């Protein structure tokens, strides 16, 4: 009887983490098509904002229900549903001919995003051996930023292959940008056929022999029985404890940790990070770049995101969580500075000073970005680097550590829901 694991948990984790890749891709691909969508569908600013943001709305709802559904039907099945949702969303978005149809397609993709964000790391944590768990769970975060970067690359190369011949008149390149996501989504759906069920879920359903087979496959025969005994013990403890509910999150003993968790969720999104990802191409076009050049500059943003996320993954256990969070505070907002300055100057009643400050604010908002496009690119890359090495990955790492074990599932769901709502 073999004492060594017969399968590769790293390969399984990488396969499951494709859900994170799709989540990142689906979130970032919209940056390359905002201009064409506004022109083709004759959208107002608020309608375009709705097209962009509606994915986050359905993702928020999906995060609230993904956990209970995964407990009932299994992690593998719910992940397969997310792969199917990504596929439908990509094809429907590409073929959409109306504003309502586009919204519907994006909402479907959002349900895939929310499900993948919650269930993929949960599955990986349940199948990975203890000594590999942290490293393998981090595959999901890495795949999210790889998905962002892949979307920027895809948008650029499709635009280069199908350039617009007349400024302001868009061809069907944007449809291909949206449709290409169906390829990794279908690959994900196929890959999930060979992924085993979570051993913890199998044990929860009384299928102990199947759970043991999966554990033996993943960790080796010698460790399978001990791992199964640990799962059984955890499940028995869970039976004796009352089920954690939302009301318990308001208990005084949970007050401080929930303030920390909700605070992390708030500050991660109030930075405006998703606005940068969703509208990066538009921002670079405002800075004076052409469409193709703007898509190319978005690639640099994606690469910086990947590089600094990898650095954060390397540093998080070495430097600690708090130093990485503090590192994010070095970035300043020039709009906020001008707003504060304008308030101070108005209090003096000096009309010339007030006019000067208001003029500077208007120049910054309307035309200041055109002064130096390269400076804008470097500033955004620095902003992304600061986020990727701090609030981006550190928030999820701290979520998995600060909440008590019995409350962890519902507490993370609540904090994640709040995080998405802020977005």
């Amino acid at each position: 009887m073999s004492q060594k694991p017969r399968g590769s948990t790293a390969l399984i984790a990488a396969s499951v983490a494709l859900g994170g890749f799709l989540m990142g891709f689906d979130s970032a691909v919209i940056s390359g098509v905002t201009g064409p969508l506004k022109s083709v569908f004759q959208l107002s600013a608020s309608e375009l904002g709705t097209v962009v943001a509606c994915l986050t709305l359905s993702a928020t709802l999906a995060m609230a229900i993904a956990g209970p559904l995964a407990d009932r039907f299994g992690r593998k099945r719910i992940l397969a549903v997310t792969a199917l949702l990504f596929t439908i969303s990509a094809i429907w978005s590409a073929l959409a001919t109306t504003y309502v149809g586009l919204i519907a397609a994006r909402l479907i993709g959002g349900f895939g995003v929310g499900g993948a964000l919650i269930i993929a790391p949960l599955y990986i944590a349940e199948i990975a051996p203890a000594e590999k768990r942290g490293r393998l769970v981090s595959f999901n975060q890495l795949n999210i930023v790889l998905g962002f970067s892949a979307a920027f690359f895809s948008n650029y190369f499709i635009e280069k292959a199908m350039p617009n011949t007349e400024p302001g008149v868009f061809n069907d390149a944007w449809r291909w940008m949206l449709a290409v996501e169906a390829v990794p989504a279908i690959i994900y759906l196929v890959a999930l056929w060979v992924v085993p069920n979570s051993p913890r879920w199998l044990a929860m359903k009384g299928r102990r022999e199947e759970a043991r087979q999966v554990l033996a496959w993943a960790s080796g025969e010698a460790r399978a029985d001990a791992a199964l005994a640990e799962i059984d013990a955890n499940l028995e403890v869970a039976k004796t404890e009352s089920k954690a509910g939302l009301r318990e999150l308001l208990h005084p003993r949970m007050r401080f940790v929930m303030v920390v968790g909700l605070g992390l969720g708030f500050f991660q999104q109030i930075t405006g990070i998703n606005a940068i990802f969703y509208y990066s191409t538009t921002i670079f076009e405002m800075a004076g770049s052409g469409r193709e050049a703007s898509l190319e500059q978005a690639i640099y943003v994606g690469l910086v995101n990947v590089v600094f996320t990898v650095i954060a993954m390397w540093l998080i256990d070495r430097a600690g969580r708090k130093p990485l969070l503090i590192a994010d505070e070095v970035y300043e907002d020039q709009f906020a500075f001008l707003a504060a300055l304008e308030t101070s100057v108005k209090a003096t009643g000096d009309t010339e000073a007030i006019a000067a400050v208001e003029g500077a604010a208007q120049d910054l908002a309307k035309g200041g970005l055109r002064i130096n496009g390269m400076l804008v690119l470097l500033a955004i890359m620095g902003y992304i680097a600061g986020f990727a090495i701090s609030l981006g990955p550190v928030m999820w790492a701290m979520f998995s550590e600060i909440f008590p074990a019995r409350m962890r599932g519902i507490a993370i769901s609540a904090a994640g829901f709040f995080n998405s709502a802020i977005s």
Side-chain angles (χ1 to χ4, degrees):
M1 183 181 294
S2 173
Q3 301 298 306
K4 296 181 179 180
R6 301 187 302 277
S8 170
T9 50
L11 181 60
I12 291 298
S15 299
V16 172
L18 278 175
F21 178 91
L22 288 166
M23 177 243 169
F25 194 103
D26 205 26
S27 298
V29 72
I30 195 71
S31 69
V33 301
T34 51
L37 289 180
K38 186 173 184 179
S39 174
V40 172
F41 291 94
Q42 295 294 298
L43 302 179
S44 66
S46 61
E47 287 173 334
L48 179 62
T50 301
V51 170
V52 173
C54 66
L55 179 138
T56 304
L57 173 63
S58 54
T60 302
L61 297 176
M63 291 175 68
I65 63 174
L69 288 176
D71 284 343
R72 181 173 181 179
F73 299 106
R75 286 69 164 128
K76 178 178 174 178
R77 287 181 182 176
I78 299 302
L79 287 173
V81 170
T82 67
L84 186 60
L85 292 175
F86 281 125
T87 305
I88 294 172
S89 175
I91 295 173
W92 192 349
S93 297
L95 298 178
T97 57
T98 65
Y99 170 66
V100 173
L102 192 60
I103 292 290
R106 292 278 292 166
L107 286 171
I108 289 173
F111 281 111
V113 166
L117 185 61
I118 292 294
I119 305 305
L122 174 64
Y123 173 94
I124 295 171
E126 291 180 347
I127 199 171
E131 70 275 9
K132 298 180 181 179
R133 191 167 295 143
R135 186 165 64 253
L136 294 182
V137 170
S138 68
F139 274 13
N140 197 61
Q141 177 65 27
L142 180 60
N143 268 265
I144 291 173
V145 297
L146 287 174
F148 273 105
S149 189
F152 293 141
F153 271 101
S154 174
N155 287 347
Y156 172 72
F157 285 115
I158 290 174
E159 180 69 23
K160 200 168 182 65
M162 302 175 63
N164 293 304
T165 56
E166 185 178 344
V169 178
F170 297 98
N171 55 26
D172 285 340
W174 66 271
R175 295 188 182 274
W176 287 100
M177 291 177 185
L178 293 171
V180 74
E181 184 190 354
V183 175
I186 292 172
I187 293 173
Y188 188 40
L189 188 60
V190 172
L192 287 170
W193 281 104
V194 299
V195 169
N197 278 303
S198 157
R200 181 180 175 85
W201 180 78
L202 289 170
M204 285 171 59
K205 297 302 179 181
R207 297 157 61 177
R208 295 185 73 262
E209 184 55 36
E210 292 179 63
R212 189 192 179 283
Q213 290 175 4
V214 174
L215 290 168
W217 177 89
S219 304
E221 292 284 351
R223 304 177 63 181
D225 289 328
L228 183 57
E230 182 181 352
I231 291 175
D232 287 338
N234 289 336
L235 291 176
E236 284 300 319
V237 170
K239 288 179 183 178
T240 62
E241 296 178 335
S242 60
K243 187 175 181 181
L246 287 172
R247 183 170 295 182
E248 286 192 64
L249 297 180
L250 304 177
H251 194 279
R253 68 172 180 270
M254 288 290 294
R255 188 171 298 157
F256 176 74
V257 74
M258 285 306 298
V259 168
V260 173
L262 295 177
L264 286 170
F266 175 84
F267 286 111
Q268 195 214 44
Q269 284 302 323
I270 207 67
T271 58
I273 185 65
N274 281 351
I276 298 296
F277 283 128
Y278 293 162
Y279 294 101
S280 58
T281 302
T282 302
I283 292 170
F284 293 133
E285 288 177 350
M286 289 173 61
S289 299
R291 175 160 171 78
E292 188 175 308
S294 298
L295 292 168
E296 181 180 2
Q297 289 172 334
I299 289 177
Y300 304 144
V301 171
L303 291 175
V304 167
N305 193 23
V306 172
V307 170
F308 279 86
T309 297
V310 172
I311 293 173
M313 289 168 59
W314 183 78
L315 284 175
I316 195 166
D317 288 327
R318 292 170 172 81
R321 282 67 166 150
K322 187 174 180 179
L324 294 184
L325 290 175
I326 293 174
D328 189 52
E329 299 302 319
V330 301
Y331 296 93
E332 295 181 351
D333 187 338
Q334 55 184 332
F335 287 98
F337 170 75
L338 273 174
L341 180 60
E342 185 175 358
T343 300
S344 299
V345 171
K346 283 182 176 179
T348 67
D350 187 331
T351 55
E352 292 185 7
I354 292 172
V357 173
E358 288 180 342
Q362 291 171 5
D363 287 344
L364 183 61
K366 296 179 180 179
L369 291 176
R370 295 187 176 85
I371 295 174
N372 192 326
M374 181 56 66
L375 183 61
V376 173
L377 174 61
L378 293 175
I380 289 179
M381 288 171 65
Y383 171 82
I384 294 297
F387 181 85
I389 205 170
S390 58
L391 278 169
V394 172
M395 184 193 77
W396 292 106
M398 291 189 67
F399 277 3
S400 67
E401 297 169 341
I402 63 176
F403 299 117
R406 190 174 72 86
M407 301 290 296
R408 188 170 297 146
I410 191 169
I412 290 178
S413 294
F417 182 90
F418 181 69
N419 174 259
S420 292
I422 295 298
S423 175

